[in-house]
Amino acid sequence: MAQPDTKKIFFENLSGAGKAIAVLTSGGDAQGMNAAVRAVVRMGLYVGAKVYFIREGYQGMVDGGENIKEATWESVSSMLQVGGTVIGSARCKEFRTHEGRLKAALNLVTLGITNLCVIGGDGSLTGANLFREEWSGLLTELVEQGSIEPQSVQTYSALHIVGMVGSIDNDFCGTDMTIGTDSALHRIIEVVDAIMTTAQSHQRTFVLEVMGRHCGYLALVSALACGADWVLIPEMPPDDGWEEKMCEKLSATRSRGTRLNIIIVAEGAIDRHGKAITSSYVKDLVVRCLGFDTRVTILGHVQRGGTPSAFDRILASRMGVEAVLALLETTANTPACVVSLCGNQSVRLPLMECVQMTQEVQKAMDEKRFEEAVKLRGRSFENNLKTYKLLAHRKPESELPQSNFNVAVLNVGAPAAGMNAAVRSAVRVGITEGHKMFAVSDGFEGFYKGQIKEIKWADVGGWTGQGGSLLGTKRTLPAKHVGKIAEQMRMHNINALLVIGGFETCDRIKQSASGTKRRVFIIETMGGYCGYLATVAGLAAGADAAYIYEEPFDIRDLQANVEHLTEKMKTSIQRGLVLRNENCNDNYTTDFIYQLYTEEGKGVFDCRKNVLGHMQQGGAPSPFDRNFGTKISAKAMQWVTKKLRETFRQGRVFANTDDTCCLLGMRRRALVFQPVLQLKEDTDFVHRIPKEQWWLKLRPLMKILAKYKTSYDVSDSGQLEHVVHNRPKDTDASVAM
């Protein structure tokens, strides 16, 4: 495949030769840990280091022997899609003692290991930092015992630690998303979606208890993603008298014709006095006060299980590579750090600063400083809570601000999962701001035909989990019908438009290949001329190649890919996955690539092909899409309100400046409103893609993990930063992959 631009600084300058890196998983397991282990092993081997597995966490480090084993490239094959951790995790009381850490130090020094990559929670990472601080003293003690030679103290003078946070609770400060959180949200939402059907059938109330003994992130975001009627979390206990208010809310919802209620309770939920609020207590309360048929579902460890989501695989893979780079760059004076993503950028943060911030949250909760606890959790958590309150609790008409503005919302372009969540959010935020909201059916075509009607708060109930576009959407462009659209806007006195839309499954297939030896799947993805889907799906599924329009290729590249894959198949039992963006090349079609691989792979592997087509647009939206659509739409509607008030003069809205027509999207670490006119310079209108694509920097990473020799740009890799209580105002990195 074509090589990326090599003008910038690349990691060939960072050699791992002579270094030994060990990777372990500790504490509770989390989906995505295996992807992180795989990335550490393959990136470590790629730069020339020796890489070791430490099985069973710190217990394996203390016990040594077969628990610390050198890893090979093939030893991490076929583990990307596996949940849990294949190298094992265990609680280790012995490592908490000085004697236990002394044994662990001896086992590491014996193998020349001075670089540790620890994947776990705050307890695991704190233990690693203590081990690092004691390291030189432990080596001196081992010399005194005669266990190691005196020169070993100089040779292995410093222990370097890099952490990745693996925790489904997302309870570690300084990181926007921890490995496993998104997958746990998938499990919760799958259960909620299933329960909703039976709840509607029998007009039931369901109380769902989710994990989160000290952190309410899972409960809060799942409540936001499914439109739950009530949520109870430890960081923000309800005010006294909440029982009556909750029952009033449930009763009001039923009176408007809703046939079900969903209440989500974090396992650590408490009231303002620190008393536990259990799911059974909530159920008994609803039955006693309202007489509703109410059931409890406790999800338990099902939230930890199952296949990791695409988000967690990509997060873990990027963090694993970043962890190796951090270890290569570390010095004796570099503090232990954790690696994470902020927006779509890698960051490195001092480990103990993150641990101390996490402990501050718990201290604030213990001292009943709940508002401060929410702020300490980070801006993303705080925004989630504000958005949930805004959308779940309708204010009385008398409390709404007075507004004479009419705002219309419509979908355009191809249907996309999350559109309905965005419409629901826009409608409810608009009503809360005092506007009259209108829905336009079938995009711009419906607009010029007059398919416009007022939409109320209750009309969008239950929309969050629906796939496709309930308003309807078409690719019709407005240019030919501007006059008719303008007339409809005058007739309905519409002051502002919120347009939601576009420019106008690989894992299961690979698993099916796992049942056979030496089979390659050629998969065609959608995306027009944009190769994002093919690239990110390739990274998430462990593809061997992904052909895209943005990275031109020729027959020599195809031949090199076939030869590379053939060589891999000969050396071990492998499955192959090749992705092709639908418009990557007019001549090298999916059929052509399939026939080429079939012919050249004769005697080594056989081929299958699959064109995924419109199934990629179907199905229920993921928790990520629901959350993203909800929050970005709420932010857009608040911006619309601000602009309407700024431009309203003498009874009219004067929206005649560039900044009154903007596109809202993620740029690096921030959500940015960019005037549409400015997009002309940044956009390839012929192919309907941006001229610069940030995700192209992921391409070399995909190739490295597939065992290609390539260059990797480290000019954008994480630099050590300090933990701050609040990120910049517009930042909400939890909504970007």
Side-chain angles (χ1 to χ4, degrees):
M1 301 172 73
Q3 296 295 308
D5 181 13
T6 56
K7 292 178 182 176
K8 296 183 180 178
I9 304 168
F10 292 98
F11 81 94
E12 283 94 337
N13 301 324
L14 300 170
S15 173
K19 292 192 176 184
I21 300 171
V23 58
L24 71 147
T25 54
S26 179
D29 66 301
Q31 307 97 319
M33 280 184 165
N34 289 323
V37 171
R38 171 181 177 268
V40 169
V41 169
R42 291 195 168 178
M43 190 63 174
L45 294 173
Y46 194 85
V47 298
K50 278 189 174 181
V51 185
Y52 292 85
F53 293 132
I54 300 180
R55 300 187 182 277
E56 310 306 334
Y58 287 117
Q59 189 65 58
M61 192 190 296
V62 171
D63 294 342
E66 287 297 306
N67 290 301
I68 306 177
K69 191 173 182 180
E70 189 170 353
T72 65
W73 192 277
E74 289 73 25
S75 62
V76 291
S77 295
S78 301
M79 64 189 291
L80 185 63
Q81 72 275 15
V82 179
T85 166
V86 298
I87 61 173
S89 179
R91 312 282 181 184
C92 181
K93 292 182 179 179
E94 195 172 359
F95 188 75
R96 297 177 184 177
T97 67
H98 181 79
E99 293 75 15
R101 293 191 290 276
L102 192 65
K103 289 181 185 178
L106 176 59
N107 290 328
L108 294 187
V109 168
T110 301
L111 294 170
I113 298 170
T114 57
N115 298 278
L116 272 184
C117 183
V118 181
I119 308 167
D122 60 338
S124 302
L125 298 178
T126 302
N129 190 66
L130 175 61
F131 190 39
R132 171 184 170 275
E133 290 174 345
E134 292 182 347
W135 181 256
S136 60
L138 293 172
L139 295 195
T140 301
E141 199 170 334
L142 289 171
V143 170
E144 292 171 354
Q145 292 178 358
S147 300
I148 61 174
E149 297 297 325
Q151 60 265 32
S152 296
V153 177
Q154 283 295 112
T155 306
Y156 309 115
S157 59
L159 178 67
H160 307 296
I161 302 286
V162 173
M164 286 183 278
V165 188
S167 167
I168 69 167
D169 293 334
N170 202 30
D171 56 355
F172 195 79
C173 290
T175 60
D176 292 313
M177 284 289 276
T178 57
I179 295 168
T181 300
D182 187 69
S183 299
L185 285 171
H186 272 72
R187 301 295 93 79
I188 295 168
I189 294 303
E190 286 166 7
V191 171
V192 172
D193 286 350
I195 278 175
M196 278 185 165
T197 57
T198 184
Q200 281 187 324
S201 300
H202 299 278
Q203 298 191 61
R204 283 179 176 149
T205 296
F206 268 87
V207 182
L208 274 77
E209 182 180 305
V210 302
M211 284 186 167
R213 192 176 301 117
H214 303 292
C215 179
Y217 184 89
L218 287 179
L220 177 58
V221 175
S222 57
L224 192 60
C226 74
D229 296 284
W230 204 269
V231 64
L232 295 159
I233 59 174
E235 291 89 347
M236 184 54 70
D239 294 328
D240 291 342
W242 65 272
E243 294 95 336
E244 184 179 347
K245 290 179 182 177
M246 184 186 75
C247 290
E248 286 176 357
K249 167 77 188 304
L250 300 181
S251 181
T253 303
R254 287 290 181 95
S255 68
R256 291 195 292 268
T258 302
R259 294 177 59 85
L260 78 157
N261 299 109
I262 299 291
I263 302 166
I264 296 182
V265 183
E267 63 178 327
I270 55 174
D271 65 17
R272 288 271 162 178
H273 308 286
K275 182 182 177 183
I277 300 175
T278 64
S279 51
S280 58
Y281 175 79
V282 175
K283 175 204 167 183
D284 294 342
L285 174 67
V286 174
V287 172
R288 184 176 69 252
C289 296
L290 299 174
F292 291 171
D293 184 3
T294 306
R295 306 295 168 92
V296 171
T297 297
I298 300 174
L299 270 64
H301 284 78
V302 71
Q303 295 161 87
R304 290 192 185 277
T307 300
S309 67
F311 186 102
D312 274 326
R313 298 185 206 188
I314 294 163
L315 173 68
S317 296
R318 292 184 68 183
M319 292 305 91
V321 169
E322 183 67 27
V324 173
L325 294 177
L327 287 171
L328 293 180
E329 294 173 2
T330 193
T331 67
N333 298 320
T334 304
C337 72
V338 291
V339 294
S340 182
L341 288 184
C342 180
N344 53 37
Q345 286 191 295
S346 301
V347 294
R348 302 175 191 172
L349 299 166
L351 188 154
M352 289 314 296
E353 286 187 21
C354 296
V355 170
Q356 288 160 8
M357 179 78 79
T358 304
Q359 292 170 346
E360 281 183 39
V361 177
Q362 188 58 50
K363 183 179 178 183
M365 290 162 60
D366 292 340
E367 296 175 358
K368 299 182 174 55
R369 294 180 283 114
F370 299 114
E371 287 77 10
E372 186 177 345
V374 169
K375 283 184 166 54
L376 288 170
R377 278 278 180 232
R379 187 167 292 279
S380 174
F381 188 95
E382 190 177 7
N383 286 345
N384 282 326
L385 184 57
K386 287 179 180 176
T387 305
Y388 174 77
K389 288 180 177 178
L390 195 63
L391 300 178
H393 303 292
R394 184 179 183 182
K395 291 182 180 179
E397 295 285 339
S398 58
E399 295 182 16
L400 295 176
Q402 294 300 310
S403 166
N404 297 316
F405 299 127
N406 294 344
V407 180
V409 58
L410 69 156
N411 295 152
V412 300
M419 275 184 164
N420 296 319
V423 172
R424 169 184 176 268
S425 178
V427 168
R428 292 194 169 181
V429 173
I431 291 171
T432 302
E433 296 286 355
H435 308 320
K436 183 181 283 189
M437 298 299 298
F438 289 84
V440 180
S441 300
D442 297 333
F444 285 114
E445 183 175 318
F447 207 161
Y448 84 80
K449 290 180 178 178
Q451 295 171 205
I452 306 166
K453 65 176 183 179
E454 187 177 353
I455 188 166
K456 302 283 191 177
W457 183 283
D459 294 337
V460 292
W463 280 34
T464 308
Q466 300 291 318
S469 168
L470 293 175
L471 288 184
T473 179
K474 293 189 176 181
R475 293 181 181 272
T476 306
L477 297 176
K480 295 180 181 179
H481 310 287
V482 170
K484 292 180 180 179
I485 290 173
E487 181 60 29
Q488 291 295 334
M489 292 185 72
R490 281 193 292 270
M491 286 175 57
H492 293 87
N493 192 28
I494 292 172
N495 306 111
L497 283 179
L498 180 61
V499 182
I500 301 167
F503 207 101
E504 50 28 3
T505 320
C506 295
D507 185 47
R508 292 186 182 178
I509 291 170
K510 192 174 183 186
Q511 285 181 20
S512 75
S514 298
T516 65
K517 294 182 180 180
R518 298 174 180 170
R519 173 165 289 175
V520 175
F521 274 89
I522 314 295
I523 310 298
E524 180 183 301
T525 68
M526 295 179 77
Y529 288 94
C530 179
Y532 177 82
L533 277 180
T535 296
V536 177
L539 185 57
D544 297 277
Y547 302 110
I548 63 172
Y549 171 79
E550 293 91 341
E551 192 174 279
F553 58 96
D554 57 27
I555 193 66
R556 289 166 296 186
D557 296 311
L558 289 169
Q559 186 63 34
N561 294 153
V562 174
E563 291 172 357
H564 177 80
L565 191 52
T566 302
E567 194 60 35
K568 284 173 65 177
M569 292 285 189
K570 287 178 179 177
T571 56
S572 60
I573 298 174
Q574 292 277 342
R575 277 73 59 194
L577 178 63
V578 175
L579 299 173
R580 178 189 176 274
N581 167 249
E582 59 183 344
N583 289 335
C584 66
N585 190 288
D586 291 337
N587 299 310
Y588 301 133
T589 63
T590 301
D591 284 335
F592 178 90
I593 292 173
Y594 164 70
Q595 290 165 4
L596 176 68
Y597 274 76
T598 299
E599 180 64 27
E600 297 299 320
K602 275 184 179 177
V604 181
F605 58 81
D606 63 359
C607 283
R608 298 289 186 273
K609 69 174 178 178
N610 195 310
V611 179
L612 297 179
H614 285 81
M615 68 173 291
Q616 295 161 86
Q617 294 178 335
S622 68
F624 178 94
D625 282 327
R626 299 181 196 196
N627 194 20
F628 180 79
T630 296
K631 291 200 287 188
I632 202 169
S633 187
K635 192 173 187 67
M637 185 52 64
Q638 289 167 338
W639 177 88
V640 166
T641 300
K642 178 172 174 284
K643 287 297 178 184
L644 283 171
R645 290 170 180 163
E646 287 176 355
T647 59
F648 185 72
R649 297 187 297 276
Q650 299 174 350
R652 294 180 61 190
V653 174
F654 291 85
N656 50 11
T657 58
D658 291 355
D659 66 346
T660 57
C661 180
C662 287
L663 174 72
L664 174 58
M666 177 66 71
R667 286 237 167 167
R668 297 175 74 86
R669 299 191 189 187
L671 287 170
V672 176
F673 290 94
Q674 185 172 5
V676 171
L677 287 177
Q678 292 181 9
L679 294 174
K680 286 184 178 180
E681 300 175 1
D682 303 329
T683 306
D684 174 355
F685 282 95
V686 174
H687 299 101
R688 298 166 59 144
I689 56 175
K691 291 179 180 177
E692 290 188 15
Q693 305 268 38
W694 69 267
W695 51 265
L696 286 173
K697 293 181 179 179
L698 300 180
R699 300 278 300 170
L701 171 57
M702 183 187 72
K703 296 174 190 177
I704 287 170
L705 297 181
K707 212 173 183 179
Y708 283 90
K709 286 293 181 184
T710 188
S711 297
Y712 185 63
D713 183 357
V714 299
S715 62
D716 231 15
S717 65
Q719 300 300 316
L720 195 63
E721 302 178 7
H722 290 285
V723 179
V724 293
H725 285 257
N726 281 312
R727 297 196 184 279
K729 187 176 181 181
D730 286 333
T731 297
D732 191 356
S734 68
V735 297
M737 186 177 290

